[in-house]
């Protein structure tokens, strides 16, 4: 059924040891329609002893859970505060939480109502500020280099998860096996004034101006609390730099004071032609059905998609509990004009029936970049 | 980019090559990276440390090339075809079929997997030196009842796969299963080690557990399990999808021990060789053989002349009469020696005593004629075509037996559209082609290299003869022989020989001197590596060798590669494939070193297996579900087609030199140690993760208090 309403999407990136506590709370609140994906976060870890002689390998990999769900704009604030409270996210190093505006275009009839019951807030609300999300899709195994940019600039702790890509690959014959469909998807959340530089550096490091190397885009984030603890190791001061930054952010009430000089040497960087006016169409559907839906979407003009597997969580006594636990998230970045056609095709191929239990969110992208040919 | 219609892109030849070249290069390079260590190490060890040149080096090099190509194709086939098919069926089945159907399917698949990847011949090879009088129960399991052994293992694996599916379906932790099986297994092993007959099958039983899960079964079962647990598992369980391999390693042990206990009452107790062939125990020992002729065949082929004599009641006449009888009557001969026409003559020439030869050949001239024929046949060429055919058939059987039922289930029960069917078909084809090439390469390259080193490895701690390097000296004259005397007054004869300008002394043995031709044939002796002093440093070299060999061979194992890739995928890269493989490889190296120590020092296997498993039960209790699953599963995958031939060759080489009953147990100890290493790594990682979080906030403690 068509919905076409704007909702708030809350996405939490939590260390796995914390995510259990948070998920328990969400379960207790009977929040419906929660999606969960496993990911990893990387932080720089000081090397000690003999290991420090060896090059590289100074990244610590932590298991991370990405949890996201849609809520009405009114209930977003209490929920975010609750998660921050439960996960103690105001300490840097435990996770990030972000709120963005998405448009729920169309969905299976189960997901009509996202209103949740009101509840008591037990603590002082934490101040959140707006930032930019960057999403980069790379060949599997090459993600760390791009993700490191966020660490090296002290921007945030990036999150990386796996997916499979379709696109050019599917327009070739059997020769497509030479192009691996396995992708890594990197998310980073710089402040608004850092975003352009980070994006540019990521393009340089990931060589995204080369054919077949990947895709990157940025999207606005309404507000959020970003994990900035990019270093792990001994602390030689009364407070870590991350704690100071967080404290100053809190005092100033914004991140504007963090504005810094450009990080990229302008001369070495060619002027890039960014793609604008694209939307990120996110199709959530039952496990195993993503590939055919994406194929249908591609026939209507979508260039390709990245499919990642999700777990579905819902309370036992709701209609949505019939939905399979294995879900797929297909992200397609398409020009705004083709959106209608793609949605129609998806509807025709049964994306919103009982077979796929699909739903489509739409989020705007600020700019995108990839190799577009000459 | 988005406005392109989804039409097929035309790719010309040059573009196709530009795509194919890096693709092939990447894959081949990654296989070379995984294989180079073990190969270089083996070559280095034999030529530099043992200083024995490699014979047939060109064949071995060719074989190794085939191994690399075969592995490359096979792994690509696994990822493209079999594993995708497995996960499609796994995720499709729970939606369409009730749990009973899934369990039946699991049972069947497990049983077929055992038939598909025949590990029994591997075990038979390890048990080649088993003597029926020393270990009757083991002997009967490996020979007369080897089919029961296969069924027992098959049933074990079948039940294991079914239990695994059940576990996924109801998301039960793996830990209770481990306690349930490992605890009693340890107790039964201790009990069995007290029984003179049962103690010999402990090694076989535990090795069965180690070898059952091969490079086709493991990835398939993993993919299947992950598919199922993704569909039905609860969100907060650990790395589900694993665990079947663990069960498939444990249950065959249960089955084989059970079979052994069942058969034990009907099998005679171990006894001495001469007692064994006395006529008064004949009815007891006939149980061990298929029939009387089989017994006779065994006696003639495998035992000493004294034993043969006592087999015929100590009566020379009777034995010779029997042999003459055989030579005359064709049906009798065929019943004892099989279909080959000249088998009897060959036996008489190669193994018979003088009087036996006379009885068979009748005249000395016949014998000399035959002799020229048999000595000539010593070097048989390698029949590549035959080799290829045999390996291709084995590969088709291995893949077909597993892929066909899965395909049937997919089309009959799952009935969903198959994404990229062409890739899956190509993948299965790659699997067959790769496995066949790989098998040929193993036979030509690794097997030979392994056997050469295995037979020569004992040279590091004791003197061994090198039959490959046998030399003939022409124009030998008895006048050249000198006499040396020891301090005890014992005299020994020797002579000098010149070799590359160096004079060396060679002990003289009259039986090596052929008076008629004036030729002296002698077999060079090598070792010990550190002179004639204590053998300890030499033994340490062997143990170190075993460790590095196990380490290197494990890194090249295809099943471990697939497991590593799956673990990395499921943990979204937090648990790197390389880290897992390193941990497992160190474990396997340690395990093989332990197994070799067992053989060299003749330690009972129960002592090697029981303490680690007790420690493992304890560690398992404290580990997280995720690492318990991965750790225990890695035990099952480690002993694959690369490790096994090398380990067996080494175990046999050392076992024969040291004179132990059987070469079993190395594989079993190579299975237990990686569990230990992975679980310990898991504990370490877990502690670090918790510490990192604790460092970032002390709120955890408060949160913990809240919960309580």
């Amino acid at each position: 059924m068509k919905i076409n309403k704007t909702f708030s999407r809350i996405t939490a990136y939590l260390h796995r040891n914390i995510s259990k506590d948070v998920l328990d709370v969400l379960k207790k609140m009977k929040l419906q329609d929660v999606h969960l994906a496993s990911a990893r976060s990387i932080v720089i870890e000081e090397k000690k002893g003999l290991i420090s002689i060896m090059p590289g390998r100074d990244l610590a990999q932590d298991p991370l859970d990405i949890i996201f769900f849609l809520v009405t704009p009114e209930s977003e604030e209490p929920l975010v505060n609750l998660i921050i409270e439960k996960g103690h996210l105001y300490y840097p190093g435990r996770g990030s939480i972000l709120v963005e505006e998405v448009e729920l275009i169309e969905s299976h009839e189960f997901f009509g109502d996202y209103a949740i019951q009101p509840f008591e807030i037990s603590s002082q609300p934490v101040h959140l500020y707006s930032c930019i999300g960057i999403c980069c899709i790379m060949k599997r195994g090459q993600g760390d280099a791009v993700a490191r940019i966020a660490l090296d600039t002290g921007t945030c702790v990036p999150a990386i998860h796996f997916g499979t890509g379709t696109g050019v690959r599917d327009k070739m014959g059997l020769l497509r096996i030479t192009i691996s469909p396995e992708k890594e998807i990197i998310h980073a959340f710089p402040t608004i004034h850092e975003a352009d530089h980070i994006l540019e550096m990521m393009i340089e490091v990931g060589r995204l101006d080369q054919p077949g190397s990947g895709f990157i885009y940025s999207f606005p984030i309404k507000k959020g609390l970003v994990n900035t603890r990019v270093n792990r190791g001994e602390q030689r001061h009364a407070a870590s730099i991350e704690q100071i930054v967080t404290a100053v952010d809190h005092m100033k009430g914004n991140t504007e004071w963090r504005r810094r000089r450009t990080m990229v040497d302008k001369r070495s960087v060619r002027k890039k032609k960014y793609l604008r006016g694209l939307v990120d169409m996110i199709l959530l559907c039952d496990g195993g059905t993503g590939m055919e839906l994406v194929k249908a979407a591609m026939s209507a003009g979508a260039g390709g998609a990245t499919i990642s597997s999700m777990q579905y969580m819902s309370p036992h006594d709701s209609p949505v509990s019939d939905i399979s636990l294995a879900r797929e998230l297909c992200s397609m970045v398409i020009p705004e004009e083709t959106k209608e056609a793609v949605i129609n095709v998806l509807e025709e191929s049964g994306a919103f029936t009982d077979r796929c239990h699909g739903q489509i969110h739409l989020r705007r992208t600020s700019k995108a970049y990839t190799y577009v040919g000459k | 980019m988005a406005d392109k219609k989804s039409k097929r892109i035309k790719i010309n030849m040059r573009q196709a090559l530009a795509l194919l070249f890096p693709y092939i290069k990447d894959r081949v390079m990654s296989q070379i990276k995984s294989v180079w260590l073990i190969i270089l190490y083996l070559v280095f060890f034999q030529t530099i440390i043992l200083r024995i040149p490699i014979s047939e080096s060109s064949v071995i090099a060719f074989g190794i090339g085939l191994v690399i190509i075969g592995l490359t194709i096979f792994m690509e086939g696994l990822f493209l075809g079999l594993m995708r098919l497995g996960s499609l069926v796994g995720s499709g089945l729970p939606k369409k079929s009730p749990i009973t159907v899934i369990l039946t399917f699991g049972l069947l698949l497990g049983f077929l997997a055992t038939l598909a990847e025949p590990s029994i011949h591997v075990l038979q090879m390890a048990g080649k030196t088993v003597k029926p009088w020393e270990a009757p129960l083991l002997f009967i399991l490996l020979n007369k009842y080897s089919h029961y052994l296969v069924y027992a293992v098959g049933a074990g694996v079948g039940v294991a796969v079914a239990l695994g599916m059940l576990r996924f379906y109801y998301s039960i932790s793996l830990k209770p299963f481990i306690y349930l099986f490992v605890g009693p297994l340890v107790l039964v092993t201790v009990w069995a080690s007290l029984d003179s007959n049962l103690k010999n099958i402990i090694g076989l039983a535990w090795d069965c557990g180690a070898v059952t899960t091969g490079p086709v079964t493991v990835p398939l079962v993993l993919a299947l399990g992950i598919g199922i647990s993704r569909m039905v598992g609860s969100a907060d369980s650990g790395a589900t999808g694993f665990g079947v391999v663990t069960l498939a390693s444990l249950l065959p042990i249960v089955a084989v021990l059970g079979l052994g206990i069942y058969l034990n009452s009907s099998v005679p107790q171990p006894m001495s060789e001469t007692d064994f062939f006395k006529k008064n125990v004949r009815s007891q020992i006939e149980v061990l053989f298929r029939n009387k002729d089989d017994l006779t065949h065994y006696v003639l082929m495998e035992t000493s002349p004294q034993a043969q004599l006592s087999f015929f009641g100590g009566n020379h006449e009777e034995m010779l009469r029997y042999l003459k009888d055989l030579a005359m009557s064709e049906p009798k001969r065929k019943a004892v020696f099989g279909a080959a026409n000249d088998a009897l003559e060959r036996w008489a020439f190669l193994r018979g005593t003088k009087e036996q030869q006379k009885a068979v050949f009748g005249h000395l001239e016949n014998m000399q004629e035959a002799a020229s024929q048999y000595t000539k046949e010593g070097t048989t060429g390698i029949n590549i075509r035959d080799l290829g055919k045999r390996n291709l058939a084995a590969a088709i059987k291995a893949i077909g037996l597993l892929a066909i039922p899965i395909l049937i289930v997919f089309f009959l029960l799952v009935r969903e559209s198959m994404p990229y069917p062409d890739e899956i078909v190509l993948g299965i084809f790659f699997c067959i082609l790769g496995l066949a090439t790989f098998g040929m390469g193993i036979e030509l390259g690794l097997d030979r290299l392994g056997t050469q080193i295995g037979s020569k490895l004992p040279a590091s701690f004791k003197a061994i003869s090198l039959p490959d390097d046998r030399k003939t000296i022409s124009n030998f004259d008895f006048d050249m022989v000198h006499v040396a005397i020891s301090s005890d007054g014992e005299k020994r004869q020797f002579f000098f020989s010149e070799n590359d300008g160096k004079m060396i002394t060679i002990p003289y043995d009259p039986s090596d001197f052929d008076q008629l031709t004036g030729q002296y044939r002698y077999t060079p002796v090598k070792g010990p590596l550190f002179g004639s002093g204590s053998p300890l440093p030499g033994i340490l070299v062997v143990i170190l060798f075993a460790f590095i060999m196990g380490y290197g061979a494990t890194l090249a194992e295809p099943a471990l590669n697939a497991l590593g890739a799956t673990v990395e995928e499921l943990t979204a890269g937090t648990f790197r494939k390389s880290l897992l493989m390193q941990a497992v490889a160190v474990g396997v190296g340690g395990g093989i070193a332990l197994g070799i120590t067992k053989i060299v020092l003749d330690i009972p296997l129960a002592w090697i297996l029981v303490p680690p498993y007790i420690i493992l039960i304890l560690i398992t209790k404290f580990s997280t579900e995720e690492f318990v699953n991965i750790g225990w599963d890695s035990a099952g995958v480690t002993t694959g087609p690369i490790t096994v031939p090398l380990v067996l060759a080494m175990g046999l080489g050392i076992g024969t030199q040291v004179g132990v009953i059987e070469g079993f147990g190395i594989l079993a100890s190579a299975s237990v140690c990686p569990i230990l290493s992975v679980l310990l790594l898991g504990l370490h990682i877990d502690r670090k993760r918790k510490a990192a979080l604790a460092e970032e906030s002390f709120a955890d403690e408060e949160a913990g208090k809240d919960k309580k």
Side-chain angles (χ1 to χ4, degrees):
Chain A
M1 68 194 240
K2 297 260 182 200
I3 295 174
N4 284 322
K5 254 163 77 181
T6 302
F7 286 102
S8 294
R9 174 175 142 157
I10 300 181
T11 314
Y13 296 83
L14 302 172
H15 195 289
R16 184 146 311 145
N17 295 18
I18 302 169
S19 73
K20 271 207 181 112
D21 298 342
V22 172
L23 282 172
D24 283 346
V25 174
L26 295 182
K27 264 186 207 160
K28 250 184 234 159
M29 302 196 36
K30 306 231 179 247
L31 203 68
Q32 312 212 336
D33 201 25
V34 178
H35 282 86
L36 178 86
S38 53
R40 71 173 196 269
S41 69
I42 54 174
V43 287
I44 297 173
E45 188 169 35
E46 270 177 35
K47 292 185 283 186
K48 282 182 209 151
L50 267 180
I51 306 166
S52 60
I53 304 169
M54 278 155 54
R57 289 181 191 264
D58 56 345
L59 291 181
Q61 321 265 350
D62 291 315
L64 196 71
D65 278 331
I66 304 178
I67 300 164
F68 69 87
F69 49 90
L70 298 189
V71 290
T72 55
E74 304 83 65
S75 46
E76 95 196 9
E77 183 125 2
L79 259 173
V80 167
N81 286 336
L82 183 81
I83 292 174
I84 290 176
E85 169 80 2
K86 277 293 153 192
H88 302 279
L89 298 188
Y90 32 77
Y91 293 104
R94 295 175 63 87
S96 307
I97 184 160
L98 306 157
V99 183
E100 46 187 310
E101 269 177 9
V102 298
E103 208 178 327
L104 182 64
I105 303 287
E106 184 164 6
S107 85
H108 184 267
E109 53 191 1
F110 281 167
F111 320 109
D113 185 18
Y114 284 95
I116 50 165
Q117 298 102 16
F119 52 91
E120 300 290 307
I121 305 164
S122 55
S123 76
Q124 195 101 25
V126 180
H127 187 78
L128 308 172
Y129 25 86
S130 54
C131 55
I132 295 284
I134 294 181
C135 174
C136 178
I137 300 152
M138 301 275 302
K139 213 162 97 182
R140 182 88 48 99
Q142 297 177 349
D144 278 0
V146 168
R148 242 205 115 109
I149 301 277
L151 295 177
D152 287 342
T153 55
T155 309
C156 66
V157 175
I160 305 167
H161 69 279
F162 287 168
T164 43
T166 61
V168 188
R169 210 177 167 269
D170 291 69
K171 297 174 190 159
M172 300 160 57
L174 250 187
L175 260 182
R176 64 172 170 267
I177 61 163
T178 58
I179 300 175
S180 166
E182 319 250 280
K183 306 287 179 216
E184 259 175 335
I185 302 147
I186 303 133
H187 277 102
F189 315 100
T191 57
I192 291 170
H193 37 267
E194 292 169 321
D196 284 352
H197 302 310
I198 300 284
L199 192 70
E200 212 145 273
M201 285 168 84
M202 285 183 166
I203 293 171
E204 288 295 311
V205 169
R207 293 169 187 266
L208 296 178
D209 50 353
Q210 304 291 314
S213 53
F215 187 79
I216 193 166
Y217 65 94
S218 60
F219 52 94
I221 285 174
K222 195 167 150 196
K223 53 187 175 181
L225 181 68
V226 175
N227 177 12
T228 51
R229 180 80 190 253
V230 295
N231 265 299
R232 181 173 294 163
E234 273 172 55
Q235 189 180 320
R236 294 188 191 84
H237 303 279
S240 70
I241 188 71
E242 291 86 3
Q243 284 168 325
I244 297 169
V245 169
T246 314
V248 177
D249 278 350
H250 189 71
M251 286 188 294
K252 296 233 175 198
N254 59 39
T255 54
E256 179 68 20
W257 67 277
R258 289 204 236 155
R259 185 180 287 276
R260 52 179 135 179
R261 269 193 295 155
T262 163
M263 288 170 281
V264 187
D265 185 2
K266 282 280 183 207
R267 277 164 302 175
S268 68
V269 178
R270 269 189 302 138
K271 195 91 184 116
K272 291 185 181 68
K273 228 183 105 194
Y274 288 105
L275 307 159
R276 292 181 198 265
L278 302 179
V279 287
D280 184 7
M281 184 184 267
I282 296 166
L283 166 70
L284 286 160
C285 59
D286 280 356
T289 60
M291 192 59 90
E292 19 166 340
L293 293 179
V294 163
K295 270 189 185 161
M298 281 170 71
S299 70
T306 318
I307 305 175
S308 23
S309 38
M310 300 276 141
Q311 263 182 335
Y312 191 64
M313 295 194 13
S314 60
H316 289 295
D317 49 351
S318 85
V320 282
S321 65
D322 290 346
I323 296 172
S324 140
L325 288 169
R327 298 270 283 171
E328 275 169 2
L329 180 149
C330 318
S331 157
M332 293 172 267
V333 180
I334 54 171
E336 181 118 40
E337 315 82 82
T338 47
K339 154 181 117 181
E340 288 305 322
V342 171
I343 292 168
N344 286 339
V345 153
L346 285 176
E347 188 168 1
E348 278 164 34
S349 35
F352 311 109
T353 59
D354 282 347
R355 199 170 69 84
C356 304
H357 295 110
Q359 54 174 306
I360 292 181
H361 312 164
L362 212 60
R363 75 177 168 204
R364 246 141 268 288
T365 71
S366 315
K367 48 185 179 178
Y369 187 80
T370 186
Y371 172 81
V372 275
K374 277 159 197 152
Chain B
M1 53 160 267
D3 48 26
K4 269 183 216 155
K5 283 273 171 294
S6 70
K7 245 185 337 195
R8 240 170 107 154
I9 300 174
K10 287 230 167 63
I11 298 169
N12 62 29
M13 196 61 193
R14 250 184 76 191
Q15 285 168 319
L17 284 179
L19 281 170
L20 274 174
F21 182 70
Y23 165 77
I24 295 172
K25 197 188 101 194
D26 280 2
R27 264 73 180 172
V28 172
M29 279 315 288
S30 76
Q31 288 312 323
I32 290 179
K33 264 186 212 153
S34 68
V35 175
W36 72 270
L37 179 66
I38 178 68
I39 308 259
L40 259 186
Y41 176 67
L42 289 180
V43 170
F44 166 82
F45 192 85
Q46 179 163 359
T47 50
I48 313 274
I49 309 242
L50 295 179
R51 298 192 191 191
I52 300 168
I54 295 172
S55 51
E56 300 180 291
S57 49
S58 57
V59 176
I60 290 178
F62 178 64
I64 287 166
L66 284 184
V67 167
I68 292 171
I69 295 169
L71 266 181
T72 311
I73 302 175
F74 176 68
M75 290 306 293
E76 197 56 20
L78 272 187
F79 292 128
L80 273 181
L82 272 189
M83 288 181 79
R84 280 203 209 164
L85 193 60
S87 82
L88 275 178
V89 170
S91 53
L93 208 52
K95 279 189 277 185
K96 304 283 169 73
S97 303
I99 179 76
T100 43
V101 174
I102 299 178
L103 290 188
T104 320
F105 172 62
L107 208 64
L108 195 72
L109 192 75
F111 192 76
L112 285 176
T114 315
L115 299 185
E117 294 188 280
S119 45
I120 189 72
H121 71 268
V122 167
L123 295 170
Q124 274 173 331
M125 209 176 109
K128 214 163 62 176
T129 54
V130 173
K131 301 279 182 282
W133 51 91
E134 285 172 337
L137 184 59
L138 181 59
F139 183 82
I140 199 171
L141 277 178
L142 286 173
N143 295 288
K144 185 179 173 189
Y145 288 153
S146 61
H147 52 291
Y148 286 166
L149 186 68
V150 176
Y151 297 149
V153 170
V157 177
V159 174
V161 176
L163 268 183
M165 304 290 152
L166 192 76
R167 197 175 82 78
F168 298 145
Y169 204 83
Y170 295 108
S171 30
I172 311 168
S173 157
L174 183 63
K175 290 181 184 182
F177 287 91
I178 290 174
Y179 305 143
L180 184 70
F181 291 116
V182 176
L185 266 180
V186 165
L187 291 181
V188 170
T189 302
V190 172
W191 173 73
S193 69
L194 301 176
D195 183 288
S196 57
N197 226 345
L198 280 176
K199 75 173 179 210
N200 293 315
I201 67 157
I202 296 175
L204 173 73
W206 285 87
D207 275 9
C208 273
V211 295
T212 43
T213 41
V216 183
T217 318
V218 169
L220 194 62
V221 163
L222 272 182
L224 198 67
I226 286 159
I228 292 186
S229 57
R230 234 170 77 69
M231 274 299 158
V232 293
S234 71
D236 42 3
S237 50
T240 42
F242 298 101
V244 178
V245 179
T246 306
L247 295 174
S249 306
L250 290 176
L251 281 160
I253 310 178
V254 177
V256 173
L257 277 179
L259 181 67
I261 291 169
Y262 170 72
L263 288 176
N264 194 18
S265 55
S266 60
V267 168
Q269 290 299 304
M271 54 187 96
S272 77
E273 185 177 357
T274 39
D275 281 350
F276 187 77
F277 291 111
K278 283 195 178 132
K279 284 211 159 157
N280 54 354
V281 290
R282 187 61 44 88
S283 60
Q284 277 182 40
I285 67 163
E286 264 171 19
V287 178
L288 299 178
F289 297 90
R290 276 179 204 90
N291 48 39
K292 267 193 182 148
D293 292 327
D294 190 32
L295 172 63
T296 320
H297 176 76
Y298 182 83
V299 170
L300 293 176
M301 291 301 282
E302 305 283 341
T303 61
S304 63
Q306 291 87 340
Q308 290 171 7
L309 202 59
S310 85
F311 176 72
F312 289 101
N315 190 335
H316 276 276
E317 297 300 309
E318 194 183 326
M319 177 171 78
L320 297 180
R321 202 176 322 120
Y322 178 79
L323 285 175
K324 270 184 194 145
D325 218 28
L326 275 188
M328 295 297 147
S329 135
E330 200 179 312
K332 271 193 190 169
R333 195 166 63 220
K334 283 202 171 152
V336 175
F337 277 98
N341 226 345
D342 59 345
L344 178 64
E345 282 87 355
R346 189 180 282 268
W347 164 78
F349 176 72
L350 293 173
R351 300 195 48 104
T353 59
K354 282 260 150 57
E355 50 181 18
Q356 283 171 337
Q357 286 174 348
K358 212 176 141 202
V360 171
F361 286 104
H363 295 284
L364 216 64
E365 291 146 35
N366 289 354
M367 156 124 182
Q368 254 151 9
E369 194 183 304
S372 60
Q373 194 187 333
Y374 296 134
T375 40
K376 242 191 300 177
E377 282 173 14
T379 50
T380 42
I382 303 150
N383 189 344
I384 290 282
R385 189 189 239 177
D386 179 56
L387 190 74
K389 243 192 224 163
R390 190 154 37 81
N391 278 298
L392 187 63
I396 290 175
K397 186 179 154 205
I399 310 279
L401 268 179
L402 290 171
I404 290 170
I406 291 236
L407 280 172
I408 291 176
V409 167
F410 185 81
F411 287 117
L412 288 186
L413 297 177
V414 178
R415 292 191 304 267
E416 272 173 13
S417 71
M418 185 187 276
Y420 305 118
D422 49 349
E423 279 183 31
I424 289 181
V425 171
L426 184 75
I428 291 174
F429 172 72
F430 272 2
C431 274
I432 293 175
L433 186 70
L435 202 59
T437 317
F438 177 59
M440 274 171 73
I442 292 270
E443 232 173 279
L444 287 177
L446 274 186
D447 263 359
R448 275 160 208 264
L449 196 57
T451 319
Q452 279 185 34
I453 296 199
S455 58
K456 284 160 197 165
L457 191 59
S460 50
F461 64 93
K462 64 181 282 186
I464 58 161
S465 55
L466 304 174
D468 284 354
D469 298 346
R470 181 174 289 219
K471 283 187 183 133
T472 310
I473 302 170
S474 338
N475 292 329
F476 190 82
D477 195 335
F478 189 72
D479 295 344
M480 292 178 211
V481 177
H482 302 270
V483 179
I485 186 157
S486 75
S487 55
D488 302 335
E490 194 190 338
K491 284 173 191 160
R492 290 195 51 192
Q493 292 176 303
F494 74 98
F495 62 90
F496 290 106
S497 163
E498 197 222 304
N499 190 1
D500 293 339
K502 265 192 207 158
M503 308 302 163
I504 52 168
T505 57
I506 296 172
Y508 173 76
D509 182 354
S511 63
D512 284 340
F513 181 39
D514 190 345
Q515 302 255 356
L516 292 170
T517 53
Q519 282 181 337
Y520 185 85
R521 288 154 61 87
Y522 87 100
T523 316
V525 172
K526 179 84 192 174
L529 199 58
F530 295 99
S532 50
S534 148
L536 193 66
I539 291 178
L540 287 180
V541 166
V542 170
I543 291 172
L544 185 71
F545 167 81
F547 175 82
I548 302 181
M549 195 203 75
Y551 174 82
T554 306
L555 289 182
E557 280 298 343
L560 182 62
N561 249 299
L563 180 84
T566 313
V567 168
E568 186 169 315
E569 169 88 36
L570 280 192
T571 58
T574 8
F575 203 149
R576 296 258 175 217
K577 179 176 155 186
S578 54
L579 184 65
L580 177 74
M581 291 186 64
Q582 290 294 331
V584 172
V586 168
V588 174
I592 291 179
L594 198 66
I596 287 294
T597 317
K598 174 229 160 201
I599 290 196
V600 173
L601 304 181
D602 201 13
I603 305 170
L605 185 62
W607 289 37
I608 299 278
L609 289 181
V610 170
Y613 272 102
I614 291 176
I615 297 173
L616 271 182
I617 291 183
L618 289 177
I619 298 183
T620 301
K621 195 165 166 4
F622 295 110
S623 295
T624 57
E625 184 71 19
E626 182 187 0
F627 285 109
V628 167
N629 274 280
I630 297 171
W632 280 85
D633 263 21
S634 46
V637 301
T638 47
T639 39
I642 295 192
T643 323
V644 170
L646 291 178
V647 166
L648 282 186
M650 183 173 64
L652 279 182
I654 293 179
T656 356
Q657 295 290 339
V658 181
V660 290
I661 297 178
E662 26 92 11
F664 292 116
I666 308 181
L667 294 176
S669 73
S671 293
V672 57
C673 292
I675 313 180
L676 212 58
S677 60
V678 175
L679 284 188
L680 287 177
L681 176 74
L683 283 182
H684 171 72
I685 291 179
D686 222 40
R687 214 192 53 213
K688 245 179 76 178
R689 277 181 194 163
K690 284 206 179 111
L693 267 186
E695 176 200 327
E696 276 144 14
S697 133
F698 295 102
D700 261 358
E701 291 164 31
E702 291 162 37
K705 271 177 210 157
D706 285 353
K707 256 193 243 166
K708 282 164 200 163

